[in-house]
C-alpha cells in the first residue's frame, strides 16, 4: 500500500530498510495472515482516508481530486470526464471472467503440476484464491497460494513517507521448480509487477513466472505484459479502475470512474 500510519507484519530489518534505505528481507509465514479491514486498500475504498485537498481558487466545478488510498490510475478527473462510476463487470461477470482465467492458466501450464498462485496484496490475493477454487473444482487439485506485499520494493518508496503500511508476504513452498503465477487485480503502468518480480527474485528462482490480471487498463510505463487477462479496457488519462471483492468490500464488481462524458 502507498499510504498508512504504521508498519504491519514486517521484521525489524524491514523497518530498518524504511529508515535507512538498506535492502529489506520480508519474513515468510507458514499460513496466510488474516486481512486487516482497516488497512488502506489498493484499488477500492479505504476505511481511513486522507484529508480532502483544497482546490485552487477558480477551479472549474467539473474538476475534482478524488480522495482515497492507492488506485490503479490517476487521482484526477479532468474536465469532460464523467464522475459517475460506471460498472464494467458485475458480480456474475466477474465470476465468469475468473473462471475463464483459471482455464487459461491450466492451458498455458499444460495442467496443474507445479503451479503456485501468488497474489499481490491486497485484492490480488483474493482473486488468486478464487482462481484456486475454480481449479480445485474442475481439476480436483489443490493449488498452493502465496502473497506478496511489494511496498518495500517500490521505486517511489522515498516519496510515500517514513512509515508506510506494509502487509505480510508469505509462501507455502519453495519457489524452485515451480511455475509461479503472479495474480493482480489491475495492470496499469507495470511498476507494481516490476516490484513483485524483484521481490520474488530475492526468495528463489522459479522455473517460470506468469502474470494473470483481472483488468488490463493500458497505460504501460514499463515493458510488461500479462499472460492471462480477464478484461482489457481503454482508460483515458485521468480515469480510474476500482476492483471490489466481497471479502474486503462487501461487493463484487469492477467500476470505472472517469469515462468520457
Amino acid at each position: 500500500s502507498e499510504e498508512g500510519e504504521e508498519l504491519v507484519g514486517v521484521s525489524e530489518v524491514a523497518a530498518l530498510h524504511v529508515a535507512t534505505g538498506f535492502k529489506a528481507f520480508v519474513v515468510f509465514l507458514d499460513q496466510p495472515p488474516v486481512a486487516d479491514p482497516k488497512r488502506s486498500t489498493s484499488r477500492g475504498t479505504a476505511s481511513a482516508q486522507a484529508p480532502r485537498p483544497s482546490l485552487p481558487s477558480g477551479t472549474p466545478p467539473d474538476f475534482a481530486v478524488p480522495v482515497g488510498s492507492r488506485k490503479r490510475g490517476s487521482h484526477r478527473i479532468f474536465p469532460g470526464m464523467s464522475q459517475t462510476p460506471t460498472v464494467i463487470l458485475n458480480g456474475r461477470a466477474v465470476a465468469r471472467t475468473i473462471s475463464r482465467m483459471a482455464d487459461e492458466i491450466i492451458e498455458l501450464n499444460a495442467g496443474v503440476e507445479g503451479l503456485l498462485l501468488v497474489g499481490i496484496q491486497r485484492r490480488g490475493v483474493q482473486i488468486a484464491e478464487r482462481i484456486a477454487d475454480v481449479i480445485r473444482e474442475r481439476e480436483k487439485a489443490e493449488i498452493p497460494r502465496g502473497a506478496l506485499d511489494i511496498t518495500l520494493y517500490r521505486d517511489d518508496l522515498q516519496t510515500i513517507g517514513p512509515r508506510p503500511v506494509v502487509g505480510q508476504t508469505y509462501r507455502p513452498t519453495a519457489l524452485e521448480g515451480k511455475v509461479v503465477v503472479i495474480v493482480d487485480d489491475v495492470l496499469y503502468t507495470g511498476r507494481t509487477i516490476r516490484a513483485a518480480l524483484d521481490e520474488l527474485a530475492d526468495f528463489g528462482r522459479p522455473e517460470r513466472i506468469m502474470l494473470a490480471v483481472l483488468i488490463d487498463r493500458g497505460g504501460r510505463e514499463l515493458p510488461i505484459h500479462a499472460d492471462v487477462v480477464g478484461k482489457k479496457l481503454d482508460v483515458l488519462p485521468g480515469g480510474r479502475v476500482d476492483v471490489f471483492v466481497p471479502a474486503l468490500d462487501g461487493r463484487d464488481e469492477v467500476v470505472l470512474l472517469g469515462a468520457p462524458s
Side-chain angles (χ1 to χ4, degrees), residues 66-119:
V67 176
S69 61
R70 179 159 59 106
K71 304 292 182 183
R72 286 317 178 111
S74 170
H75 286 256
R76 292 185 174 182
I77 304 301
F78 295 99
M81 289 187 179
S82 171
Q83 298 181 44
T84 302
T86 301
V87 176
I88 303 300
L89 296 175
N90 60 20
R92 294 181 65 181
V94 170
R96 289 194 300 267
T97 301
I98 289 176
S99 178
R100 176 171 51 78
M101 291 173 64
D103 288 340
E104 290 184 23
I105 290 171
I106 295 171
E107 183 177 352
L108 286 173
N109 190 57
V112 299
E113 185 176 355
L115 275 179
L116 170 60
L117 301 179
V118 178

Side-chain angles (χ1 to χ4, degrees), residues 9-29:
V10 295
S11 65
E12 293 180 359
V13 175
L16 179 64
H17 164 66
V18 177
T20 67
F22 289 113
K23 189 68 173 178
F25 293 89
V26 182
V27 177
F28 282 119
L29 303 180

Side-chain angles (χ1 to χ4, degrees), residues 7 10-11 15 31 37 83 85 106 112 122 150 180 187 201 233 254:
L7 291 170
V10 295
S11 65
Q31 298 296 329
Q83 298 181 44
I106 295 171
V112 299
R122 302 176 66 201
I150 55 87
V180 175
L187 177 59
L233 298 175
V254 177

Side-chain angles (χ1 to χ4, degrees), residues 11-186:
S11 65
E12 293 180 359
V13 175
L16 179 64
H17 164 66
V18 177
T20 67
F22 289 113
K23 189 68 173 178
F25 293 89
V26 182
V27 177
F28 282 119
L29 303 180
D30 292 331
Q31 298 296 329
V34 177
D36 180 358
K38 294 183 180 179
R39 278 194 56 213
S40 57
T41 64
S42 294
R43 293 96 182 168
T45 57
S47 59
Q49 295 183 334
R52 189 177 188 86
S54 59
L55 298 176
S57 176
T59 301
D62 57 351
F63 181 94
V65 182
V67 176
S69 61
R70 179 159 59 106
K71 304 292 182 183
R72 286 317 178 111
S74 170
H75 286 256
R76 292 185 174 182
I77 304 301
F78 295 99
M81 289 187 179
S82 171
Q83 298 181 44
T84 302
T86 301
V87 176
I88 303 300
L89 296 175
N90 60 20
R92 294 181 65 181
V94 170
R96 289 194 300 267
T97 301
I98 289 176
S99 178
R100 176 171 51 78
M101 291 173 64
D103 288 340
E104 290 184 23
I105 290 171
I106 295 171
E107 183 177 352
L108 286 173
N109 190 57
V112 299
E113 185 176 355
L115 275 179
L116 170 60
L117 301 179
V118 178
I120 295 180
Q121 298 279 15
R122 302 176 66 201
R123 285 160 179 76
V125 174
Q126 285 71 40
I127 295 171
E129 290 286 345
R130 294 178 67 173
I131 291 174
D133 289 342
V134 174
I135 294 176
R136 182 191 307 112
E137 179 181 349
R138 295 183 179 176
E139 301 293 323
K140 311 304 179 186
E142 189 70 32
I143 305 301
R145 279 95 63 201
L148 289 176
D149 187 292
I150 55 87
T151 302
L152 298 181
Y153 289 80
R154 289 177 41 162
D155 56 11
D156 61 349
L157 180 61
Q158 301 301 322
T159 69
I160 62 175
R163 304 182 66 194
V165 172
V166 181
Q168 292 171 319
T169 291
Y170 61 90
R171 61 177 178 178
T173 182
L175 301 183
E176 283 70 18
K178 297 294 184 182
V179 177
V180 175
V181 182
I182 298 175
V183 181
D184 205 5
D185 57 352
V186 179

